[in-house]
Amino acid sequence: MTVWDHLVGQRPAIAALAQAAGTGGARPQGMTHAWLFTGPPGSGRSNAAIAFAAALQCEEGGCGTCHACRTVLAGSHADVAVIRTQRLSIGVDQVRDLVRRSALAPVGRRWQVLVVEDADRLTDQAFNALLKAIEEPTERTVWMLCAPTVEDVLPTIRSRCRLVTLSTPATADVAAFLERTAAVEPALALRAARASQGHIGRAKALATDPDTRQRRAEVVALPGRLRSLGAAMAAATMLSETTKAEADAITVELDAAERADLDAAYGVVDRGRKPREYAPARAALEREQKSRAKRRHLDVVDRALTDLVSVYRDAVAVGLGVGTELVNEELREQVEALAEAGGPEANLARIEVVFAAREQMLEFNVPVMLALESMMVGLLPRRDGAGAPTGRNVR
């Protein structure tokens, strides 16, 4: 198994990267010092960057079995650094540390690779700090930036990078990947692949975790229950509470471990004397944890909204008579009822309502509960039976 085998449905991108790395001992072609990986969520942007980093460190261009490949994929290679964040943004201090590292020579004989996941979260100051390092790279330093689209990166940055565009993997490719790597039964693999809409990580979670499948089932059942204002308020409360609980389950254990590590680093014990430097360090950690928890909750809510939109998109497809397989094939009866209730126009309006709520939370910092309540009201059928109001009516 080579380093490329974990990239699903990305044959054109793999071909370009393998050629640049010189796979199989071939002469590298098209190699450059800066790369920009773009693609929709779940397409494997960071996985592609790390696979490419492994290929650059490997004598055979990414065999997947040598020491270089295994250490890069495990995150322990001395010449490969990955900057990632669970906060709302990547600050200038993190980037400056990476820029300082980029000026050093690699420990080994090949490349020093610096991967920035979620480059779209870089602040303006961080982008400016990064620009000079990309403009004037050292001889054996390679930068790899990952972002959803080229528009998420400053023009001065993207103009200096070679673009690698990833696509949403096909359902069949995702299902085959689940069967091959996670030993998932074919029917479940296909269902998880459809429900994930091409998101590899999401597909794996749906295929292997019953709780994840149950949470999604509760979300996609909501459109069939929205019949009154009370039902809309109850749905908003349920969605807010379940997504918060899911986010907390991920962060609480990590927060506790970080606090314990901080206490150990400063020699703090129960009822013991705390050094003067401990209080500001603890305050900084708590701020970072609060920011991370907020981002995690928004990410979980965003994923739930994607699942919700999939139901209305299915209803649009049914209403237009498109003969494609539905994302929520197991809910076909509910989807057909939605399609009959208001027609494609009404369900397109509901999709607009969901997108408006998403924008309120992610772009304008509207509290999650308030945005969800407004959204659920906007998804209610109109009394005249004409469907949902447009997103412009969401406040």
Side-chain angles (χ1 to χ4, degrees):
M1 179 176 287
T2 71
V3 297
W4 311 113
D5 290 338
H6 292 285
L7 303 182
V8 182
Q10 308 296 342
R11 293 177 183 85
I14 291 173
L17 295 172
Q19 186 178 49
T23 295
R27 182 183 179 85
Q29 298 181 32
M31 185 58 192
T32 187
H33 69 282
W35 298 75
L36 175 59
F37 293 80
T38 65
S43 59
R45 298 185 300 263
S46 59
N47 289 339
I50 292 171
F52 185 36
L56 291 178
Q57 303 297 356
C58 175
E59 297 289 344
E60 296 297 324
C63 67
T65 58
C66 68
H67 180 264
C69 286
R70 287 187 284 109
T71 52
V72 172
L73 296 178
S76 58
H77 196 285
D79 288 329
V80 178
V82 180
I83 180 172
R84 54 172 61 95
T85 186
Q86 295 181 348
R87 302 174 62 183
L88 296 174
S89 62
I90 300 175
V92 66
D93 291 338
Q94 288 176 281
V95 172
R96 283 173 177 161
D97 289 340
L98 210 59
V99 169
R100 282 191 288 269
R101 175 167 178 168
S102 73
L104 303 175
V107 175
R109 297 180 301 165
R110 298 182 69 82
W111 302 92
Q112 175 164 230
V113 182
L114 306 169
V115 180
V116 182
E117 293 186 0
D118 297 316
D120 53 306
R121 296 189 191 181
L122 289 168
T123 63
D124 289 342
Q125 285 183 312
F127 268 124
N128 291 332
L130 183 62
L131 177 59
K132 187 171 180 60
I134 290 182
E135 284 181 326
E136 302 174 3
T138 55
E139 185 178 357
R140 290 196 289 160
T141 294
V142 180
W143 289 91
M144 301 182 189
L145 311 181
C146 306
T149 69
V150 293
E151 286 75 19
D152 293 311
V153 179
L154 289 180
T156 50
I157 295 284
R158 65 178 184 248
S159 65
R160 291 162 173 81
C161 299
R162 180 176 173 183
L163 180 63
V164 178
T165 303
L166 306 181
S167 58
T168 300
T171 298
D173 289 337
V174 177
F177 175 77
L178 294 174
E179 293 179 46
R180 183 177 72 251
T181 62
V184 179
E185 187 268 332
L188 178 57
L190 182 59
R191 179 176 175 180
R194 284 201 315 267
S196 72
Q197 301 176 72
H199 193 298
I200 305 301
R202 179 66 167 162
K204 191 170 185 179
L206 288 168
T208 59
D209 183 15
D211 291 339
T212 300
R213 292 198 294 273
Q214 179 59 33
R215 285 192 292 268
R216 184 184 187 278
E218 292 172 355
V219 171
V220 297
L222 289 176
R225 300 173 183 169
L226 296 177
R227 292 290 181 266
S228 65
L229 182 60
M233 294 297 101
T237 300
M238 184 278 289
L239 191 56
S240 177
E241 291 178 349
T242 55
T243 53
K244 184 66 165 61
E246 182 179 351
D248 288 346
I250 300 170
T251 59
V252 166
E253 187 174 344
L254 178 58
D255 289 352
E258 289 177 341
R259 288 192 294 269
D261 289 343
L262 181 69
D263 290 349
Y266 283 90
V268 175
V269 296
D270 290 341
R271 300 180 182 178
R273 184 176 180 181
K274 298 178 175 61
R276 182 181 301 175
E277 299 84 0
Y278 175 78
R282 178 66 181 259
L285 176 63
E286 289 175 350
R287 285 195 299 272
E288 182 174 342
Q289 290 178 339
K290 183 178 180 181
S291 176
R292 181 175 62 203
K294 180 179 180 180
R295 182 71 210 192
R296 176 67 68 179
H297 187 200
L298 288 174
D299 286 345
V300 176
V301 172
D302 191 32
R303 190 174 64 216
L305 296 187
T306 300
D307 292 333
L308 192 61
V309 165
S310 72
V311 179
Y312 293 118
R313 282 179 173 166
D314 282 347
V316 171
V318 170
L320 293 174
V322 179
T324 59
E325 187 176 47
L326 303 183
V327 172
N328 302 281
E329 190 65 42
E330 67 280 2
L331 297 177
R332 179 171 283 275
E333 184 176 340
Q334 174 185 317
V335 168
E336 290 176 347
L338 284 172
E340 293 174 3
E345 295 82 3
N347 288 307
L348 285 171
R350 291 187 176 101
I351 292 173
E352 186 180 350
V353 168
V354 178
F355 284 158
R358 182 180 185 275
E359 184 180 26
Q360 289 171 351
M361 289 182 285
L362 298 181
E363 301 296 333
F364 300 107
N365 206 28
V366 173
V368 170
M369 188 62 189
L370 181 60
L372 292 179
E373 287 178 344
S374 178
M375 180 190 76
M376 291 299 179
V377 172
L379 295 177
L380 287 172
R382 283 169 50 175
R383 292 181 181 178
D384 59 4
T390 67
R392 291 185 298 273
N393 294 330
V394 178
R395 294 290 185 263

